[in-house]
Amino acid sequence: MTYLITGACGFIGSNLALRLLSEGHRVVGVDRLQPRHAHILRELEQFPAWRFYNSDLTHSTALDAITEEIDCVFHLAANADVRFSSVYPHKDLNDGIIATFNVLHWMKQRNITKIAYSSTSAIYGDPTIIPTPETYNPTQTSFYGAAKVAGECLIQAHCHSYGTTAWIFRYASITGPRYSHGFIYNFYTSLKKQPQELYVHGGKDQRKTYLDVDDCIEAMLRIVRTTTAPVNTFNIGNLETCKLTESIPLITQYLNVSPTITWSGNEVGWVGDSKVNYLDVSKLRDLGWTPKYTIAQSIVRTLDWLEQNPWILDVREEL
């Protein structure tokens, strides 16, 4: 099969591309190039079945240059950092809603009838039902989550109007190799610069679920390959949770440092952050999926990759 992956140089996108290429599929990648992508592209370019287009999906003609016949679209491109959602809400409008509309419009023109979409557990806001099922009806607390909900709704309307099949993934926080932003990266880079001290924006009682990217990719592909409803919506997360007070020692022990930890005093780390994020993944487990890595194992895998790829410290993702 030939897959199109938007956001193909990103964290989940690059891991998905490598998995599909290793299985013998053809992969067409689309992304808006950033300096950090050079290293990822070198990995992907080892595969003859890889083709890349440097394109900005906020432009209505962004995908017009693609000549390959596409069997399925994995639309993963989006603003990747919820922390700054309240500061730069236009990014969620442009890179979320407008980009998704443009992808769907292009699919209609090309008669492509399968799309998998990266939504987020952030759409659940600060949920009152824990673990949170896919049926939970939340109030939005971030522009990031609101844009993802809008993307889901656009896709649902597209499926109803044109007979498209869609798979919607509501991710927990994903960790593992090629990880380039998030709490592990932030703590790691901070401790590399100042090993004697660590400032924590989040709250001591925050409890979240984290899933290794390999387990995430396995879940995504199992969902796409085994479910056939017009719209298939699934939580993707781990079977356990972890507090910041439990994850920080894993990082400090790995780096062999003993910093003074200063807590912000806030309950959460940013506007739209949640105190508890724990997803009900019973629908996913009914498909026979189970995670391979614990949260602690994935944190160590993430740190291993960061240690082996020091270039990531110098090429931050653009805001």
Side-chain angles (χ1 to χ4, degrees), residues 32 40 61 87 92 99 124 140 166 234 246 249 293 295 307:
R32 186 170 55 208
I40 300 298
T61 59
V87 182
D92 294 305
Y124 296 130
Q140 295 308 307
F234 281 81
E246 297 167 328
Y293 298 102
I295 291 175
E307 285 280 276

Side-chain angles (χ1 to χ4, degrees), residues 83 107-109 127 133 167 171 213 234:
R83 294 176 304 159
M107 287 176 58
K108 176 63 169 58
Q109 292 177 317
W167 297 272
Y171 302 124
V213 68
F234 281 81

Side-chain angles (χ1 to χ4, degrees), residues 6-81:
T6 70
C9 295
F11 173 37
I12 297 176
S14 60
N15 280 281
L16 174 62
L18 288 165
R19 167 70 181 269
L20 292 172
L21 288 164
S22 69
E23 291 181 351
H25 298 287
R26 294 180 296 276
V27 176
V28 177
V30 175
D31 215 322
R32 186 170 55 208
L33 277 180
Q34 298 181 23
R36 67 186 178 87
H37 291 161
H39 299 265
I40 300 298
L41 284 172
R42 279 197 286 271
E43 287 188 81
L44 293 165
E45 287 166 355
Q46 298 176 33
F47 293 88
W50 164 257
R51 178 76 183 275
F52 180 72
Y53 292 84
N54 177 18
S55 192
D56 184 343
L57 292 175
T58 64
H59 299 154
S60 61
T61 59
L63 301 175
D64 289 355
I66 294 173
T67 58
E68 290 82 1
E69 293 293 325
I70 304 299
D71 297 303
C72 179
V73 173
F74 278 86
H75 178 38
L76 310 183
N79 172 28
D81 204 331

